[in-house]
Amino acid sequence: MSKSFEILDVSLRDGSHSVRHAFTEEQVRAVAKGLNAAGVRYFEVSHGDGLGGSSLQYGLSATDELKLIETAVSECTTSEVSVLLIPGIGTKENLQAAARLGAKMVRVATHVTEADVAAQHIQLGRELGLKTAGFLMMSHMAPVEKIVEQAKLFESYGAEIVYVTDSAGAMLPQDVTARIQALRQELQCEIGFHAHNNLSMAMANTIAAVESGATYIDGSIRALGAGAGNTQTEVMVAVLEKLGYQADIDLYKILDVANQVIAPMMQQPQEITGGSLLLGHAGVYSSFLLHAQKAAQQFGVDERDILMELGRMKTVGGQEDLIYEVAQHLIKA
Amino acid sequence: MSKSFEILDVSLRDGSHSVRHAFTEEQVRAVAKGLNAAGVRYFEVSHGDGLGGSSLQYGLSATDELKLIETAVSECTTSEVSVLLIPGIGTKENLQAAARLGAKMVRVATHVTEADVAAQHIQLGRELGLKTAGFLMMSHMAPVEKIVEQAKLFESYGAEIVYVTDSAGAMLPQDVTARIQALRQELQCEIGFHAHNNLSMAMANTIAAVESGATYIDGSIRALGAGAGNTQTEVMVAVLEKLGYQADIDLYKILDVANQVIAPMMQQPQEITGGSLLLGHAGVYSSFLLHAQKAAQQFGVDERDILMELGRMKTVGGQEDLIYEVAQHLIKA
């Protein structure tokens, strides 16, 4: 089978969450060198919450992300560096700076129902000559029609790719297939998919995405990412080859990056812990976990009941106050 | 949907590999108590290589497995204890002893093409009044017709369940579906499935098994098992509930076992390392990894090339000498 998708590695962006935003220049250089040598077409470098994410609220980066982007770019001969931008966290100035340093792609991320806040950033990406994508976070929360509507907004702003993003790792293959197939039918642009492994389904969901027509798929080496981590890049290379797809990535070389570069820098393994399983089961933001644990302690209720209730309420980022209200409500109930 | 399968937890048997056969009585007591409280119907207690496995060749158990079985049984009010028996490693006397101590189920395991060596052990299991299963290891290696033939042998000896066992974690969902569906059509007895996660597909393969008619499925808490570990029991409970199945296991209580009992006893996380990925990709026994590493060092070749070649040759357990021959051959090539 001929090559039908590009793998974008997010170890140096989603992985930022997993190492508490502490990537060093040396680490980024080693990972970038390895990814470039293995033949990975695109990889992303940014704070876990995108350009400008370094802050007290989202976690301070140990090294300025612009420095990390510059370092990564300097190691690329065939790979290209992508950046993530969440409007409201990152600014147009951040994106201009990243482009000046050699970033070749931007993914503009919004909550699945809020694509309209990304219009200017998508347009700027195109003006800067970047490959420009829209990234629909928490895609499990919206029905298929809503996702099509929001993806069409991204496309109308100029996005060349629209991603279905399973931020909470809450989807099952049928959820992925329904969403990707609908976008495939309704849009002209390319479709991407980004998974998390909270329900141990990241790899199976990625296969479902490719089989439904996604042409951009995300992975991270050793699954280094938020929550239970992402689809594991090196496993994806092996499994997609087994299925007859051509990933055009050297399996041994990507394993070398996994064993020799990423494994030694991990602060904890990417296991499916009780917390990350509950986040995927309830379908809530991973940043809610810590708040739910605090609220549980404060009000003497079970953090798992809080998370499940937040999932039922379809709570979204920015509604952290609700976590404490839910805890109070649970005492009374 | 009504309940349509039983989950058998193998943490205290497959997990024996992962903790180097060092389970203590206290640990087994805590796990057994937790599994019983969570409503797990069956769980297995044995050396990783089954009854009688404690040896220099397979690894010495820190505590006599009969003591561990007795301890586990003493904590059961509704759960029942299973034992694994590999003819040639375990004996009929081992099985009689386990039954005397209160084990209620035996799974007699053979290589996928060697069911005929299990006739006497299956018959003894039935005579002892145990629920008796045949367990076809390395099922990825044989075509569907061969598996049906071997499963029919098990059934003819009296097996009440025949398991498709993906020992190397080498299967993809279509492989599982083809095997389980064929057995479902050709056999009267129940069908089981046992997965490993080397290709990150254990959970998806388990769903495929249930959807194809398997009524016994294996899991281990925190995926504690050989290689990349098994289908993660607590994740399975959540995912199967999400799919509309009724697992009849208390999710919070099984999470308590995961967080409070299993996590603290793990010697290393159940990650998909380069080694376990290659084992799944090549489809070879996990015990080959160490030999391949030694041979690679001795002959100055890449261990990954050795494993891939062993997979192409469909090498099976007992053929360890071949590993060194392959390494020598690779130098010449």
Side-chain angles (χ1 to χ4, degrees):
Chain A
M1 201 177 288
S2 67
K3 189 174 182 200
S4 50
F5 52 83
E6 294 288 355
I7 290 175
L8 188 154
D9 187 88
V10 297
S11 307
L12 293 175
R13 198 277 304 163
D14 216 320
S16 159
H17 293 296
S18 191
V19 301
R20 297 182 181 77
H21 321 294
F23 283 131
T24 66
E25 263 189 83
E26 294 66 35
Q27 290 175 334
V28 167
R29 186 179 302 284
V31 175
K33 198 184 180 88
L35 293 174
N36 183 72
V40 173
R41 182 79 178 83
Y42 299 101
F43 64 92
E44 196 157 71
V45 185
S46 301
H47 182 281
D49 295 292
L51 296 177
S54 178
S55 59
L56 283 177
Q57 189 180 356
Y58 296 106
L60 287 165
S61 298
T63 304
D64 185 329
E65 67 190 340
L66 293 177
K67 190 73 213 162
L68 299 181
I69 291 167
E70 188 176 21
T71 302
V73 167
S74 74
E75 292 295 334
C76 291
T77 58
T78 53
S79 299
E80 296 191 330
V81 170
S82 170
V83 292
L84 186 79
L85 174 69
I86 302 178
I89 298 178
T91 63
K92 289 194 268 184
E93 290 67 34
N94 294 144
L95 182 56
Q96 284 160 334
R100 270 197 303 274
L101 293 171
K104 297 293 185 198
M105 181 173 183
V106 60
R107 307 200 294 176
V108 183
T110 72
H111 184 67
V112 64
T113 54
E114 295 170 11
D116 59 335
V117 304
Q120 295 180 47
H121 305 83
I122 299 267
Q123 284 152 16
L124 177 61
R126 293 300 299 270
E127 283 163 27
L128 292 167
L130 305 176
K131 185 173 276 286
T132 302
F135 202 73
L136 290 169
M137 297 189 289
M138 302 295 273
S139 279
H140 73 286
M141 278 197 168
V144 172
E145 318 81 69
K146 188 72 185 173
I147 288 180
V148 169
E149 170 202 296
Q150 297 290 306
K152 282 186 173 172
L153 284 180
F154 271 147
E155 191 176 46
S156 73
Y157 306 147
E160 296 160 285
I161 314 164
V162 176
Y163 280 82
V164 171
T165 302
D166 183 16
S167 314
M171 284 192 198
L172 298 175
Q174 63 249 45
D175 305 317
V176 177
T177 299
R179 284 161 174 76
I180 304 281
Q181 278 182 349
L183 293 185
R184 194 69 283 169
Q185 279 173 9
E186 302 279 342
L187 274 76
Q188 304 303 312
C189 72
E190 300 205 67
I191 313 299
F193 179 66
H194 174 96
H196 279 268
N197 200 39
N198 300 55
L199 296 180
S200 200
M201 293 301 286
M203 188 64 238
N205 287 344
T206 300
I207 294 172
V210 169
E211 290 178 345
S212 306
T215 49
Y216 281 80
I217 49 177
D218 280 10
S220 64
I221 294 179
R222 282 288 179 123
L224 195 73
N230 306 100
T231 312
Q232 197 168 331
T233 301
E234 64 276 27
V235 179
M236 188 154 59
V237 171
V239 169
L240 289 171
E241 279 182 7
K242 230 177 159 76
L243 281 167
Y245 295 96
Q246 200 180 326
D248 279 354
I249 291 178
D250 187 303
L251 180 60
Y252 286 8
K253 286 184 181 164
I254 197 87
L255 281 174
D256 288 341
V257 183
N259 294 340
Q260 295 161 24
V261 184
I262 294 283
M265 72 174 70
M266 292 174 77
Q267 297 180 357
Q268 71 280 321
Q270 289 290 164
E271 295 169 305
I272 305 176
T273 60
S276 55
L277 170 57
L278 257 291
L279 291 170
H281 192 42
V284 298
Y285 269 113
S286 55
S287 61
F288 282 15
L289 182 58
L290 200 61
H291 287 291
Q293 287 168 339
K294 280 189 201 163
Q297 206 159 21
Q298 187 176 336
F299 295 99
V301 296
D302 193 318
E303 72 192 53
R304 301 174 290 198
D305 288 329
I306 301 177
L307 290 171
M308 292 305 285
E309 183 59 23
L310 290 167
R312 275 188 287 269
M313 293 167 63
K314 296 197 180 295
T315 320
V316 300
Q319 298 186 305
E320 281 76 3
D321 289 354
L322 268 180
I323 300 173
Y324 297 88
E325 286 178 30
V326 164
Q328 277 186 294
H329 180 77
L330 283 171
I331 305 178
K332 291 178 196 152
Chain B
M1 203 178 288
S2 68
K3 189 174 180 196
S4 50
F5 53 83
E6 293 289 355
I7 291 175
L8 188 153
D9 187 88
V10 297
S11 306
L12 293 175
R13 198 277 304 165
D14 217 318
S16 159
H17 293 296
S18 191
V19 301
R20 298 183 180 77
H21 321 295
F23 283 131
T24 65
E25 262 189 85
E26 294 65 36
Q27 289 175 333
V28 167
R29 186 180 301 285
V31 176
K33 197 184 180 88
L35 293 173
N36 184 70
V40 173
R41 182 78 179 83
Y42 298 101
F43 66 92
E44 197 158 71
V45 184
S46 302
H47 183 281
D49 295 292
L51 295 177
S54 178
S55 59
L56 282 177
Q57 189 179 356
Y58 296 106
L60 287 166
S61 298
T63 303
D64 185 329
E65 67 190 339
L66 293 178
K67 191 71 215 163
L68 298 181
I69 290 167
E70 188 176 21
T71 301
V73 167
S74 75
E75 292 296 332
C76 291
T77 58
T78 54
S79 300
E80 295 191 330
V81 170
S82 170
V83 294
L84 185 79
L85 173 70
I86 302 179
I89 298 178
T91 63
K92 289 193 268 184
E93 289 67 34
N94 293 145
L95 182 56
Q96 285 160 333
R100 268 196 304 275
L101 292 171
K104 297 293 186 197
M105 180 174 183
V106 60
R107 306 200 296 177
V108 183
T110 73
H111 183 68
V112 64
T113 55
E114 296 171 11
D116 59 335
V117 304
Q120 295 180 48
H121 305 83
I122 299 266
Q123 284 152 16
L124 177 61
R126 294 300 300 270
E127 283 163 25
L128 291 168
L130 304 176
K131 186 174 274 285
T132 303
F135 202 72
L136 290 168
M137 297 189 291
M138 301 295 272
S139 278
H140 73 285
M141 279 196 166
V144 173
E145 318 81 69
K146 189 72 185 173
I147 289 180
V148 169
E149 170 201 295
Q150 296 291 305
K152 282 185 173 173
L153 285 180
F154 270 147
E155 191 177 44
S156 73
Y157 307 147
E160 296 159 284
I161 314 164
V162 176
Y163 280 82
V164 171
T165 302
D166 184 15
S167 314
M171 284 193 198
L172 297 174
Q174 63 249 45
D175 306 318
V176 178
T177 300
R179 285 162 174 75
I180 304 280
Q181 277 181 349
L183 294 185
R184 192 71 283 170
Q185 278 172 10
E186 302 278 341
L187 274 75
Q188 302 304 312
C189 71
E190 300 205 66
I191 313 299
F193 179 66
H194 174 95
H196 279 268
N197 200 38
N198 299 55
L199 296 180
S200 200
M201 293 301 286
M203 188 64 240
N205 287 345
T206 301
I207 293 173
V210 169
E211 289 179 345
S212 305
T215 48
Y216 281 80
I217 49 177
D218 280 10
S220 64
I221 294 179
R222 283 285 181 127
L224 194 75
N230 306 100
T231 313
Q232 197 167 332
T233 301
E234 64 276 27
V235 179
M236 186 154 61
V237 171
V239 169
L240 289 171
E241 278 182 7
K242 231 177 156 75
L243 282 167
Y245 295 96
Q246 200 181 328
D248 279 354
I249 291 178
D250 186 303
L251 180 60
Y252 286 9
K253 286 185 181 163
I254 197 90
L255 282 174
D256 287 341
V257 183
N259 295 341
Q260 295 161 25
V261 184
I262 294 283
M265 71 174 69
M266 291 174 78
Q267 297 180 357
Q268 72 279 321
Q270 288 291 164
E271 295 169 308
I272 305 177
T273 61
S276 54
L277 171 58
L278 255 292
L279 291 170
H281 192 42
V284 298
Y285 269 113
S286 56
S287 61
F288 281 16
L289 182 58
L290 199 63
H291 287 290
Q293 287 167 340
K294 279 188 200 164
Q297 204 159 21
Q298 185 177 339
F299 296 99
V301 295
D302 193 317
E303 73 191 54
R304 300 173 291 198
D305 288 329
I306 302 176
L307 290 171
M308 292 305 284
E309 183 59 22
L310 291 168
R312 277 187 285 270
M313 294 167 62
K314 297 198 181 294
T315 321
V316 299
Q319 298 185 305
E320 281 77 2
D321 289 353
L322 269 180
I323 300 173
Y324 297 87
E325 286 177 29
V326 164
Q328 277 186 297
H329 181 78
L330 283 171
I331 304 179
K332 291 177 196 154

